[in-house]
């Protein structure tokens, strides 16, 4: 999978590539999270909106979408009316909010 991410190919599996509130993440953990989210998104076609303040979750979501050749929709704000409009009128089929991303990434059994 590293061949898909040239910048990460310069790091060993155990090299630290992210840190923050969720703790430290090495390259292996990042790529595992990308693969997990990619599998979920692959089963749900369409545009995906990402609404999170967590930089790690944003990076994982973007990498997962780009891995699949899909479009990421980044809303201008996280107001419920804006997010509802994206889902109802703009053709967004999946909304990845903070809690949804946490659930998908923490559940190791998630497809």
């Amino acid at each position: 999978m590293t061949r898909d991410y040239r910048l990460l190919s310069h790091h060993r599996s155990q090299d630290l590539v992210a840190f923050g509130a969720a703790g430290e993440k090495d390259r292996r953990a990042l790529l595992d999270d990308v693969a997990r989210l990619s599998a979920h998104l692959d089963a749900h076609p369409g545009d995906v909106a990402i609404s999170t303040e967590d930089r790690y979750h944003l990076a994982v979501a973007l990498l997962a979408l780009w891995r699949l050749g899909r479009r990421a929709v980044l809303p201008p704000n996280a107001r419920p009316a804006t997010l509802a409009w994206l889902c109802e009128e703009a053709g967004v089929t999946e909304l990845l909010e903070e809690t949804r991303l946490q659930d998908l990434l923490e559940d190791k059994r998630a497809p």
Side-chain angles (χ1 to χ4, degrees):
M1 181 186 328
T2 307
R3 69 187 186 287
D4 297 339
Y5 307 103
R6 289 186 184 169
L7 289 175
L8 293 174
S9 68
H10 302 287
H11 295 279
R12 295 172 306 190
S13 293
Q14 68 275 15
D15 284 352
L16 178 67
V17 295
F19 59 90
E24 296 181 346
K25 302 286 184 170
D26 60 21
R27 187 190 79 174
R28 177 179 295 134
L30 172 63
L31 294 179
D32 286 349
D33 284 344
V34 168
R36 186 174 303 107
L37 188 57
S38 293
H40 167 78
L41 294 172
D42 198 32
H44 299 86
D47 290 344
V48 176
I50 306 167
S51 179
T52 180
E53 292 184 13
D54 186 287
R55 292 175 299 215
Y56 179 75
H57 287 161
L58 177 63
V60 169
L62 288 172
L63 288 171
L65 286 165
W66 294 338
R67 180 181 188 209
L68 297 170
R70 302 262 299 278
R71 183 168 38 189
V73 177
L74 303 176
N77 58 62
R79 294 182 188 133
T82 302
L83 300 177
W85 181 86
L86 285 172
C87 294
E88 295 167 9
E89 305 294 329
V92 168
T93 58
E94 176 95 20
L95 175 60
L96 296 177
E97 293 180 282
E98 191 62 43
T99 54
R100 180 75 173 132
L101 281 163
Q102 280 180 319
D103 291 346
L104 289 168
L105 296 178
E106 289 176 5
D107 183 2
K108 305 301 183 196
R109 296 164 294 145

